[in-house]
Amino acid sequence: AATAAEVPARGPKPPVPPGLSIDQYSQRDLIAIANWVESDTLLRTEDQVLAEVMRTLGFQRRGSRIVATLQRAIRQARRNR
């Protein structure tokens, strides 16, 4: 198992509040969170990034609208990199 010292640090978390409904987040905010999750440079599948973004924003259920919206943001974040 990797120790904390081996895991690259992320920068400061974007000021995006957890606990809102998926419709209350702007695409820009979701892209910022996706970029932040991947800023530690660890290789992740899109699904792993999705799970981490959901955890960060406080989503418990993988509803189809939540998943589709977050996947769109993750793909856009990856394209813009």
Side-chain angles (χ1 to χ4, degrees), residues 1-53:
T3 64
E6 294 169 359
V7 177
R10 291 179 183 156
K13 183 176 167 293
V16 179
L20 303 178
S21 82
I22 191 65
D23 299 331
Q24 293 176 285
Y25 291 105
S26 71
Q27 185 74 357
R28 200 167 48 97
D29 283 347
L30 296 176
I31 290 169
I33 291 290
N35 279 328
W36 174 75
V37 165
E38 294 201 278
S39 69
D40 58 16
T41 68
L42 297 177
L43 283 178
R44 290 183 182 81
T45 65
E46 184 177 293
D47 204 56
Q48 288 169 319
V49 175
L50 175 71
E52 184 77 21
V53 170

